Amino acid sequence: MAIQSVGVVGAGQMGNGIAHVFAVAGYDVLLSDVSRDALDKAVALIDKNLDRQVSREKISAEDKAAAMGRIRTTMTIADLGASDLVIEAATEREAVKHEIFAQLLPHLKPTTILTSNTSSISITRLASRTDRPEKFMGFHFMNPVPVMQLVELIRGIATDDETYQALLAVVEKLGKTSATAEDFPAFIVNRILMPMINEAVYTLYEGVGSVKSIDLAMKLGTNHPMGPLELADFIGLDTCLAIMNVLHDGLADTKYRPCPLLTKYVEAGWLGRKTGRGFYDYRGDTPVPTR
């Protein structure tokens, strides 16, 4: 199953990173979004990140020019229909993903592999609403995509082996490493990571430690490159809450109950770096803890 052209739905933080690595690896990429502004910002960011790779001698200036030449954009989702592989990288809301797939399906080739970059939602359930559950998989990249080496591959109950092998080969061509996860809520990485972040928020909520002391303790005490609250701000507190809700609803275990303080921050619109405030306030020259 030869894959040469790739369609990416969503030009946000994950979508632009996915477009970046596929273009560098030699794939023709069509990036789609409902917002022209989002598409323009994504292309500008890819250009900037490629410049950084050139300056660090990770790629050559010629490689960068070739990669940028492989990226096209569109606001019409039907244009992705001719792609060999489509990667949905929209917001982590199941209803939105179902709507995207519904819009795509009438335009896809019979051989097109359909995937989702979801970090927690059931692949089997997403696939069941399409016309090709056997050609549907979870294709979960880590953030930031150009830097992180892991890709989680998640097979739904109906995914066939040909599709799985094709995506294994794609991950290898990208120069990344795959980990295969079963289709259970949040898969591997977020099944382990998000409860740790949620527990850090509980530690803050219960007054065990301040934002600064919690992050410092985990960075220096366990050698984590980022503290859990700093990491939550980087990921987005709305995304963290959404994944905790998927775990809580899907596994029906109280140990996955989202911390009320996490919910409160999301209700306030303090979602982390992307909104300027979360567990830290990013509006000044240096981040300042908000509690």
Side-chain angles (χ1 to χ4, degrees):
M1 191 180 290
I3 294 172
Q4 295 178 312
S5 58
V6 179
V8 180
V9 184
Q13 194 173 36
M14 296 304 295
N16 78 67
I18 291 168
H20 172 142
V21 297
F22 272 89
V24 169
Y27 293 95
D28 294 320
V29 179
L30 182 57
L31 181 60
S32 167
D33 200 282
V34 293
S35 163
R36 170 49 59 188
D37 185 51
L39 289 168
D40 291 342
K41 285 180 178 176
V43 172
L45 184 58
I46 292 168
D47 189 78
K48 179 182 173 183
N49 288 337
L50 285 168
D51 276 338
R52 186 180 291 122
Q53 287 184 308
V54 171
S55 69
R56 293 176 180 172
E57 299 184 348
K58 301 281 187 185
I59 62 172
S60 68
E62 292 77 16
D63 291 335
K64 181 213 162 177
M68 289 303 297
R70 294 186 192 104
I71 298 172
R72 294 179 297 121
T73 62
T74 182
M75 291 176 63
T76 306
I77 199 167
D79 292 345
L80 273 61
S83 304
D84 300 321
L85 167 66
V86 173
I87 305 165
E88 173 274 314
T91 186
E92 191 69 352
R93 285 166 48 202
E94 188 166 343
V96 172
K97 295 181 186 299
H98 284 309
E99 179 59 28
I100 286 167
F101 294 133
Q103 291 175 24
L104 268 171
L105 289 176
H107 309 286
L108 295 178
K109 299 186 298 184
T111 55
T112 298
I113 294 176
L114 205 49
T115 68
S116 176
N117 183 58
T118 179
S119 51
S120 62
I121 297 167
S122 167
I123 298 304
T124 297
R125 195 163 64 240
L126 290 174
S128 72
R129 299 273 290 271
T130 74
D131 63 352
R132 63 195 65 212
E134 71 288 345
K135 293 189 180 302
F136 193 107
M137 274 190 68
F139 206 23
H140 182 214
F141 289 81
M142 306 296 128
N143 185 32
V145 181
V147 176
M148 302 296 278
Q149 287 300 302
L150 183 73
V151 182
E152 275 185 314
L153 294 180
I154 306 99
R155 299 174 75 153
I157 197 169
T159 307
D160 63 27
D161 194 58
E162 186 182 19
T163 300
Y164 173 67
Q165 294 297 332
L167 290 190
L168 274 178
V170 168
V171 174
E172 187 174 341
K173 187 174 176 182
L174 293 176
K176 296 191 180 294
T177 302
S178 62
T180 302
E182 292 300 317
D183 186 22
F184 286 94
F187 320 130
I188 295 172
V189 172
N190 283 316
R191 171 76 176 263
I192 297 167
L193 175 64
M194 285 303 158
M196 185 197 77
I197 287 174
N198 194 52
E199 196 62 29
V201 183
Y202 267 116
T203 306
L204 178 65
Y205 178 60
E206 293 168 6
V208 180
S210 65
V211 168
K212 183 178 179 181
S213 61
I214 290 166
D215 278 350
L216 194 63
M218 293 304 289
K219 283 195 282 189
L220 300 184
T222 61
N223 214 24
H224 288 195
M226 295 173 78
L229 301 176
E230 183 186 5
L231 179 57
D233 276 357
F234 180 74
I235 294 166
L237 303 193
D238 52 340
T239 300
C240 294
L241 179 60
I243 295 170
M244 286 309 302
N245 281 324
V246 166
L247 280 165
H248 192 229
D249 295 345
L251 298 170
D253 192 323
T254 55
K255 73 179 181 180
Y256 299 115
R257 184 172 69 97
C259 180
L261 184 61
L262 177 60
T263 302
K264 193 62 65 183
Y265 268 79
V266 173
E267 287 174 346
W270 292 18
L271 308 181
R273 285 179 179 268
K274 62 187 173 185
T275 59
R277 275 188 293 190
F279 292 114
Y280 293 85
D281 189 326
Y282 300 93
R283 294 174 299 174
D285 292 334
T286 55
V288 178
T290 53
R291 289 178 83 87

